[in-house]
Amino acid sequence: MELHYTGIIIAVSTFLIIGIFHPIVILMEYYTGTKYWWVYLIIGFISVCSAFCIANVIISSILGVLGASMLWSIGELFQQKQRVEKGWFPMNKKRQNEYTRAYDESIDKRK
């Protein structure tokens, strides 16, 4: 019996890429806000275009998943900003003037 690992490699890679982007988006929004969203766009576009040009199924699939995750992260970055404004995630006090909700220290009891 011959085993083929291509599907498992792609599945694990997809799981890891998506799992890694969750904290990356949260940290990026905390430290830099949404001003570097274009980095996700460029890397995502390059990754997706590269996936079309590579014949190896595993590498092409991983690049496609990476590109799609980068492009999806653009929306997540802006949604993360909204989650911070709602108070669901901590606000970076150094960038509090970038949020639409004025930061009120009396609301923040988590000191």
Side-chain angles (χ1 to χ4, degrees):
M1 184 168 111
E2 186 177 341
L3 297 176
H4 301 279
Y5 296 100
T6 304
I8 297 299
I9 293 170
I10 293 169
V12 169
S13 300
T14 301
F15 180 75
L16 290 174
I17 289 170
I18 292 170
I20 289 169
F21 272 97
H22 179 70
I24 287 174
V25 167
I26 293 170
L27 289 172
M28 185 167 182
E29 195 288 323
Y30 183 81
Y31 288 108
T32 65
T34 58
K35 63 183 171 185
Y36 294 114
W37 67 269
W38 54 270
V39 173
Y40 287 105
L41 180 68
I42 292 170
I43 296 173
F45 184 73
I46 290 170
S47 297
V48 169
C49 290
S50 298
F52 282 116
C53 301
I54 294 178
N56 184 300
V57 174
I58 295 174
I59 296 173
S60 178
S61 299
I62 292 172
L63 282 171
V65 169
L66 177 66
S69 296
M70 294 294 278
L71 295 173
W72 186 270
S73 293
I74 295 170
E76 286 298 318
L77 188 62
F78 286 97
Q79 288 180 358
Q80 179 64 19
K81 181 180 178 186
Q82 292 174 350
R83 291 188 282 265
V84 170
E85 289 171 345
K86 290 178 183 178
W88 297 354
F89 282 84
M91 182 183 295
N92 186 342
K93 294 179 183 178
K94 295 178 182 176
R95 297 181 21 266
Q96 62 187 345
N97 59 341
E98 296 177 21
Y99 297 98
T100 57
R101 185 191 90 174
Y103 185 71
D104 184 2
E105 295 231 5
S106 64
I107 294 174
D108 189 13
K109 304 291 184 193
R110 296 172 281 174
K111 292 183 179 180

